[in-house]
Amino acid sequence: MNALMDAVRAGRTSELPGLLDGMTDAERRAVFPEVRELRKELRADRWGGQARRAYPALQVAGAACQTGAAAVANWLAAADMRWWQAPPAVLIDVLADREPDWLADVVHRLAQRPPSARVPYELMAGLVRLSACQVPTTQAYVEGWMRHMGSVWQRGDTMLARLRKDPHLPELVAALFETDDVGGTLQWPAEDGPDSWTGALAQLTAEGALERGVTVHACVARLLRGGSTADHRGFLRLLKALDLTRDEERARTAEWLALAADAPSVVAAHAQSVLGRLALDGELSARLLAEMSSGVLFRTEKKLVRSQLVLLGKAVTRDAATADELLPAAAQAFGHEDSDVQERALKLVERHMKKAGTEARRELALAAQQLIPTLRTRAFVSLDAAPVVLEPVVYEEVLPPAPEPVRLAPAPESVAELAEEVGALLVSGGDVAAFERTLDGLVRHAHADREGLVEALGPVVARLWWATADVEQVRESTYFSNYPPLHLVLATLLGKVRTAALHAAVVQGTPGQTCVHSALDRAFRARISEVAYRVRTDPLPFLLSTPTWSTGLLEPDELVERLDGYRRLGARPSDADFAQALLRVRRGDRTAAASAAERAAALGTAEGTRLADWLASGGPQLPVGWRRTPHARILVEFDQIEELQDDFPREFRPLGRPVSVYRDRWHCYHWDDSIRPHWLALLPERRELVAARILRDLSTVAVEDTRGAAAVLPLLAESGGEAGDAVHLCVAYGLGARHEEDRLAAVDALLVLAARGQLDTELLGADLGTLVRGGAVKPLRLADALRTAASTGANATIWGLLRHTLPPLLDDLATGGPDGQAARSRGLGELLAVAAECAERSGARGELPHLAGAAARRGSSRLVTQARRLHGALTEEAAA
């Protein structure tokens, strides 16, 4: 047994089969405790050289020395084994003497593991061969089989030849259709033929190795089931390779109808083409074609809708008797969101209207009510029908309710509850409210019961690297720069940061930061470092700066109560904590501020006097700002704010210093988007200051196609203070973002500002026009964002923006404009479409500069048709 363990420790895997063959079952069971202890030893340093050397041999020994099938399967598929696995041939060798039923049990247990367990397919296939059991059809086994078939090849070999040799081909192919996320593999390689999956499977079906009816049915059923885009493309490619006959296509009419209506566009297009061939050959009834149209004409993909209208036109031309059924079906497109689709449908109806009977004409007249006003009038003339007189509807703007800030709950009362919240915050990151509440709880319990708090936190932080590190290894600067700020306080509580280092951080601050975010970051981290230092040297009873509301705002009466509590306890406030409290305290409500100022002055303390003066000095001072235009961007600069210079700690004074586009831009390391909500909570009544410092970051989502920076926009809109140039430009860049989630965040921010009565539509609209002209914002992206906002019911708001965005773009169109105007004009049609929709729905009237010229242009391009539509809506005297 010593020889066995020596070989395992040395990693001599190839020697183990010989050593194990000479051992009885009892001897193997006797040595297993030593194997298990070695595993525990290696787990402590699983990435070290000893572990990498010994783990493959350990896996073999553990599998051979256990007798239970479940235990062996768990051992082979264990998480710590998957990185340094033994060769499958060796494992099969040491297990080959077991009973077939036992081997079958093991392989089926292994196959049930998720693919992430990385159980080698070669091992599972070898055990299936030894046990002669039924082949597993789990996701892990099927994926492994597909990878194996794609990677094992010899000169002159093909996928087709390898599949022919597989004894379990029918079972595994049947399972393939039930397995998710295999579409990407099915599409490899891109070329068709015997070396591709689709080509090989189609050939095997043609040869009879796979039953054709079963394969075709499974393929169509797989497309009906849905899944990822890759799966749809992969199985559609296979379906095309199977080359269905006309009888097979006709027999699956119901499936094609379902796919045309609900499947992803690439699959729906194929189903539409199959049904179209059947319809034009007279093998699809008019009723079924009308049913198909009901599903397709309400899809958002314009190509599918246009193709369906073309198909309906061809069908009516082929057989005039179908007009009564098919023209009302085509008229369903009158309600499509795209006016070009509506016009196409109307042209189709006009072309074949004489073939329709009286009842069909009545249906068409009713459907015409859904058309946009200009097309509606035209439709009633064409149909020779009297327009339905409707009661005039007064438009009412629908905006979401303005979000209300949430009051922070008190800090956790027990150390156990606090430890749970610390754990949750470390995992999720949390929001400002969770962070502030947890930080205040740590301060309170460190003052009241430090030992109990440390004991409760032990298991929560045990997996953090600094929890087991020497004090000399833990540098406080690491936490200021790269780690979430709560880590510094936790490491301080557990004695992992030297007091001298904490004191140096408080005294020296965080010098050397020169980017535009430095002022925000220095102020935020100054409070954390001072709190950590006081936790070690002179614990605070509680924090003064914990906000009252989720936005970071602190009620003045609450701050006065906290200062009174400090006075009664004889506690010395933290300078940084008190400075943060001053920046957070509400001063916009002058009545509440004046009342609190009197109470603060009566405290008779230096902090009370300072708070009274601060509250009595008026509302927050607003900076003097101006714009800069570096390249395609528009950025904002601010002058100095004097009230943020006097009587504030050194690390807080940069908050009020000038913001420069050209000076404050280098050596930035603030890449973590999650810190931005905390910056907003620094200055909850001065969001313009924060917006100016993150404006360049926000511009990158539109100019450089980055992702994620716009996530802060809804919080920016919910924050307090003036919404000026910087805030509106942040929203403008977000509306032109490359990624949909960023545009949606900008739409949320726009609607919140509108609901709060803080949106300047003229300012934002003009900024958008300038950014589109300069190329910073692409009109197609902007149109998508504004259409989303309008769909919530904010039509008048969006029209208010676009009436200031469109004139300079239309002027450029008429005069030739700057370079690149031709490219931008391709998206101008979409902006005009959104504007027309909003004008029609909101009842907007009046003239728009340069619109008449665009509407008078010749042609039928998207730009021209939508310009005419908007011009018609704005000049219409009364609703049709």
Side-chain angles (χ1 to χ4, degrees):
M1 288 186 283
N2 287 336
L4 177 66
M5 291 307 301
D6 289 343
V8 171
R9 288 183 177 277
R12 299 196 297 271
T13 308
S14 60
E15 297 180 12
L16 295 185
L19 294 171
L20 289 164
D21 282 346
M23 297 172 60
T24 65
D25 288 346
E27 289 173 333
R28 292 185 183 186
R29 287 194 295 270
V31 80
F32 182 68
E34 293 184 55
V35 175
R36 187 168 50 217
E37 287 301 316
L38 177 57
R39 182 185 183 186
K40 291 180 181 178
E41 179 185 325
L42 295 178
R43 276 177 175 169
D45 185 22
R46 71 173 63 178
W47 307 110
Q50 171 63 19
R52 289 198 299 270
R53 184 169 54 252
Y55 254 119
L58 179 69
Q59 188 182 33
V60 174
C65 293
Q66 298 182 81
T67 56
V72 171
N74 289 337
W75 181 274
L76 291 172
D80 59 330
M81 297 284 183
R82 68 185 57 160
W83 297 105
W84 322 112
Q85 297 194 44
V90 177
L91 289 169
I92 293 170
D93 190 5
V94 300
L95 297 175
D97 59 348
R98 305 294 181 97
E99 293 293 327
D101 289 346
W102 186 92
L103 292 173
D105 191 4
V106 170
V107 71
H108 279 275
R109 289 176 182 274
L110 291 174
Q112 290 294 335
R113 300 282 177 152
S116 58
R118 300 178 60 176
V119 178
Y121 166 77
E122 294 81 358
L123 172 61
M124 293 188 287
L127 295 178
V128 168
R129 186 174 59 254
L130 284 175
S131 64
C133 68
Q134 183 178 2
V135 65
T137 55
T138 63
Q139 182 169 359
Y141 195 92
V142 173
E143 286 187 6
W145 172 67
M146 295 184 73
R147 282 194 302 271
H148 177 77
M149 285 295 175
S151 61
V152 180
W153 58 275
Q154 298 175 352
R155 186 182 300 275
D157 196 7
T158 64
M159 176 70 71
L160 177 60
R162 293 193 293 275
L163 289 175
R164 277 199 187 109
K165 300 174 186 176
D166 195 308
H168 305 291
L169 179 66
E171 296 93 330
L172 290 173
V173 170
L176 184 151
F177 290 108
E178 302 296 329
T179 305
D180 293 329
D181 301 322
V182 297
T185 306
L186 274 180
Q187 295 180 77
W188 184 89
E191 301 81 12
D192 289 324
D195 208 31
S196 69
W197 271 98
T198 52
L201 291 176
Q203 180 62 33
L204 290 168
T205 303
E207 294 174 358
L210 297 173
E211 187 178 342
R212 182 174 180 83
V214 172
T215 305
V216 171
H217 175 77
C219 196
V220 174
R222 184 65 180 80
L223 292 172
L224 282 168
R225 197 183 82 185
S228 66
T229 301
D231 279 354
H232 280 112
R233 291 185 180 276
F235 287 106
L236 179 60
R237 179 177 167 184
L238 175 57
L239 184 65
K240 291 178 178 179
L242 290 171
D243 192 20
L244 271 62
T245 65
R246 178 55 61 89
D247 288 341
E248 289 173 328
E249 290 178 339
R250 187 171 53 252
R252 290 170 176 79
T253 300
E255 287 89 338
W256 304 130
L257 289 170
L259 291 171
D262 299 319
S265 57
V266 64
V267 179
H270 177 74
Q272 185 184 48
S273 67
V274 172
L275 291 170
R277 291 194 300 270
L278 293 174
L280 297 180
D281 288 344
E283 298 182 77
L284 187 71
S285 67
R287 180 184 61 80
L288 289 177
L289 182 55
E291 179 185 335
M292 170 194 177
S293 301
S294 298
V296 176
L297 291 178
F298 282 97
R299 294 186 66 113
T300 57
E301 302 95 332
K302 297 175 188 176
K303 184 177 180 180
L304 289 175
V305 175
R306 288 196 297 265
S307 297
Q308 190 66 22
L309 291 173
V310 170
L311 174 59
L312 288 170
K314 290 180 178 179
V316 175
T317 301
R318 177 183 174 277
D319 184 0
T322 62
D324 285 349
E325 197 152 15
L326 296 185
L327 289 183
Q332 294 178 78
F334 289 175
H336 198 277
E337 62 181 15
D338 190 282
S339 62
D340 286 350
V341 170
Q342 293 185 15
E343 186 170 13
R344 283 175 177 268
L346 179 57
K347 287 180 178 179
L348 188 153
V349 169
E350 289 173 335
R351 189 161 58 248
H352 298 284
M353 186 175 52
K354 294 180 180 179
K355 303 173 184 176
T358 304
E359 184 61 30
R361 285 170 175 263
R362 187 178 297 111
E363 290 183 48
L364 293 172
L366 289 174
Q369 295 292 333
Q370 304 173 76
L371 292 166
I372 62 173
T374 54
L375 295 179
R376 189 186 314 148
T377 302
R378 172 179 148 188
F380 287 135
V381 172
S382 300
L383 292 168
D384 193 21
V388 179
V389 179
L390 301 175
E391 289 292 328
V393 178
V394 178
Y395 174 76
E396 183 177 352
E397 186 82 342
V398 178
L399 293 171
E404 296 292 334
V406 178
R407 180 178 284 273
L408 263 67
E413 295 184 358
S414 68
V415 292
E417 183 184 356
L418 176 60
E420 287 182 8
E421 298 207 7
V422 168
L425 195 62
L426 291 175
V427 172
S428 67
D431 55 12
V432 169
F435 171 79
E436 293 289 346
R437 181 171 179 268
T438 304
L439 181 63
D440 186 41
L442 289 172
V443 170
R444 289 174 183 269
H445 287 288
H447 180 268
D449 183 13
R450 182 190 179 95
E451 291 184 1
L453 175 60
V454 171
E455 182 180 355
L457 290 174
V460 175
V461 302
R463 291 182 177 271
L464 301 177
W465 74 267
W466 50 258
T468 56
D470 296 332
V471 174
E472 295 300 324
Q473 292 179 280
V474 182
R475 298 183 303 166
E476 72 293 339
S477 61
T478 301
Y479 298 98
F480 292 135
S481 304
N482 301 322
Y483 278 76
L486 198 65
H487 282 238
L488 178 62
V489 179
L490 295 173
T492 300
L493 281 167
L494 271 69
K496 293 297 181 179
V497 185
R498 292 178 293 110
T499 303
L502 292 169
H503 182 258
V506 172
V507 173
Q508 299 170 9
T510 51
Q513 301 186 32
T514 58
C515 72
V516 71
H517 313 102
S518 298
L520 300 168
D521 193 59
R522 289 175 66 176
F524 176 71
R525 295 191 181 274
R527 180 176 68 128
I528 302 300
S529 60
E530 192 165 327
V531 165
Y533 176 64
R534 291 292 298 272
V535 163
R536 174 68 57 80
T537 59
D538 182 15
L540 300 166
F542 48 83
L543 291 179
L544 295 172
S545 61
T546 302
T548 307
W549 303 101
S550 55
T551 58
L553 202 61
L554 173 59
E555 293 296 340
D557 286 339
E558 194 166 334
L559 180 53
V560 173
E561 291 293 337
R562 293 174 187 175
L563 286 174
D564 188 35
Y566 266 64
R567 180 187 62 80
R568 286 186 276 103
L569 292 171
R572 178 174 62 88
S574 156
D575 291 342
D577 185 40
F578 182 57
Q580 176 64 91
L582 292 178
L583 293 176
R584 283 177 170 169
V585 71
R586 185 197 297 272
R587 293 198 290 164
D589 185 343
R590 298 309 305 151
T591 302
S595 173
E598 295 180 6
R599 294 180 55 213
L603 292 177
T605 63
E607 287 77 17
T609 303
R610 173 78 173 98
L611 174 59
D613 293 342
W614 182 254
L615 291 173
S617 64
Q621 286 185 8
L622 301 177
V624 177
W626 55 90
R627 294 180 172 216
R628 293 277 191 183
T629 311
H631 306 294
R633 291 177 170 87
I634 303 174
L635 302 178
V636 173
E637 293 186 333
F638 283 140
D639 206 348
Q640 183 160 292
I641 302 177
E642 294 300 332
E643 75 171 0
L644 295 184
Q645 302 304 305
D646 302 332
D647 300 324
F648 272 91
R650 179 190 62 194
E651 294 297 285
F652 284 78
R653 293 172 193 162
L655 289 172
R657 289 183 184 150
V659 178
S660 169
V661 169
Y662 297 105
R663 185 178 66 243
D664 298 331
R665 61 177 298 185
W666 308 112
H667 312 298
C668 180
Y669 62 90
H670 302 99
W671 306 303
D672 184 5
D673 295 340
S674 65
I675 194 65
R676 294 192 182 106
H678 296 281
W679 290 346
L680 279 171
L682 276 174
L683 299 162
E685 286 192 312
R686 301 179 202 258
R687 59 181 163 190
E688 272 288 290
L689 281 181
V690 181
R693 294 184 180 276
I694 64 174
L695 183 54
R696 180 179 287 274
D697 300 338
L698 267 295
S699 71
T700 62
V701 300
V703 179
E704 300 169 17
D705 294 350
T706 60
R707 185 194 296 267
V712 74
L713 284 175
L715 296 178
L716 181 65
E718 294 173 20
S719 191
E722 179 189 9
D725 283 359
V727 170
H728 282 77
L729 280 169
C730 284
V731 175
Y733 285 120
L735 292 172
R738 162 68 177 82
H739 298 286
E740 184 179 11
E741 62 267 30
D742 288 318
R743 293 198 298 273
L744 289 175
V747 168
D748 287 346
L750 184 153
L751 294 174
V752 169
L753 288 173
R756 298 180 70 186
Q758 298 169 342
L759 181 67
D760 187 334
T761 55
E762 181 177 356
L763 174 62
L764 180 56
D767 283 343
L768 287 169
T770 303
L771 291 172
V772 171
R773 292 185 73 203
V777 167
K778 293 179 173 57
L780 284 174
R781 299 176 184 175
L782 176 60
D784 176 75
L786 294 183
R787 181 174 280 114
T788 300
S791 68
T792 66
N795 295 288
T797 299
I798 302 307
W799 167 243
L801 296 179
L802 287 172
R803 66 189 296 267
H804 298 288
T805 302
L806 291 171
L809 304 179
L810 293 171
D811 183 40
D812 286 345
L813 185 68
T815 61
D819 294 340
Q821 177 59 34
R824 287 190 291 279
S825 68
R826 287 196 291 270
L828 181 55
E830 288 303 318
L831 284 176
L832 287 167
V834 177
E837 292 166 12
C838 293
E840 290 165 354
R841 292 168 183 167
S842 63
R845 298 292 183 268
E847 292 201 9
L848 188 69
H850 312 294
L851 177 62
R857 292 165 71 100
R858 291 183 296 176
S860 58
S861 67
R862 176 76 165 166
L863 188 154
V864 173
T865 57
Q866 294 305 317
R868 292 170 184 162
R869 176 187 176 190
L870 177 58
H871 186 263
L874 294 177
T875 57
E876 185 183 20
E877 291 297 328

